[in-house]
Amino acid sequence: MRRSSTALGIAALGGLVNAGTVLALYARGDYPALESTGWIAVLVTMTVVLGFLPVFVSAYTRLLTPAVGWIAVFAGTVVLEVRSPMPEWGRLGEYVVVDGPTYVSSYATAWYVWLALLSFVGVVEFAVRRGYGIGDGRLRNLPTLPLSRRSRRLIGGGAACLVGLATTLLVVRTGIDPTVTAVVVFLFTVAVTAVPLAAVLGEGIVTPTVLFTPVLYALVYEVFLTTGSPVYLLLFGPYALVLVAVWKLEAGLRARLGGWNGGRFTGR
């Protein structure tokens, strides 16, 4: 109970710091969103949740990547916003137009993307630390390995679906037809995310996770530098097949090198 209360307190601080900083940067850049009380309430809610959840997970479980990952994205956004030219606002009819970068707005409104990606890295850290005994004695409130097949599907599949849903929402907001391309993007993103998670959770195979980096980069790029035509995300489907091939290649190499099974990973 004491640990839960401490985790909640630390997480609340993270949420407040995130919300306060975002509001301060909005005020600095004279963002029109601050003219609407309703939008301010939405903005505060989004940013508090974004700062609260990863910090709570790290404080409660002792996983490092959720909090550290959020801090990295948060700090990077602050640096980009402060070092960039101030945005200049105008109106074209009933629409607000802007000249200049709006990094803090991209960061705040894509809160679901950051939470989804942090869930991915958190699951990877859990699997690696538990499976290879890297400081796993410090972890708290987490299951042991090996996981049952059902647990692997719930944990890995759940994180993959979160990334898929976040990517789909990111694509839909660009204005594409959500009944066609968005569905394909969701399925392909789930596939490309599920492969490295299944590999590391089930067998301790890490190469697909390393090669997942371009997917992370593509999503971050799409958040901050929206292309307006995210059709390139459909490449996630073929890339999932590449990750499967790499998974099997690493498994084969391990078998040839004496059957090393990745520390505590004990097969399927």
Side-chain angles (χ1 to χ4, degrees), residues 151-165:
S151 295
R152 293 200 303 269
R153 288 175 177 173
L154 285 174
I155 295 173
C161 285
L162 285 177
V163 177
L165 179 60

Side-chain angles (χ1 to χ4, degrees), residues 96-170:
V96 175
V97 294
V98 60
D99 181 19
T102 54
Y103 294 115
V104 67
S105 176
S106 298
Y107 163 79
T109 56
W111 59 276
Y112 49 87
V113 175
W114 309 126
L115 291 180
L117 294 181
L118 292 174
S119 71
F120 172 86
V121 297
V123 172
V124 171
E125 181 190 353
F126 157 72
V128 171
R129 288 181 63 180
R130 276 286 198 238
Y132 292 95
I134 304 174
D136 64 311
R138 299 178 181 178
L139 298 178
R140 298 289 185 271
N141 306 304
L142 290 170
T144 58
L145 292 180
L147 297 173
S148 67
R149 180 173 298 180
R150 181 174 181 273
S151 295
R152 293 200 303 269
R153 288 175 177 173
L154 285 174
I155 295 173
C161 285
L162 285 177
V163 177
L165 179 60
T167 305
T168 304
L169 292 174
L170 188 62

Side-chain angles (χ1 to χ4, degrees), residues 47-66:
T47 50
V48 167
V49 169
L50 177 55
F52 178 90
L53 286 180
V55 174
F56 176 77
V57 170
S58 288
Y60 190 66
T61 66
R62 306 291 177 86
L63 290 171
L64 299 176
T65 49

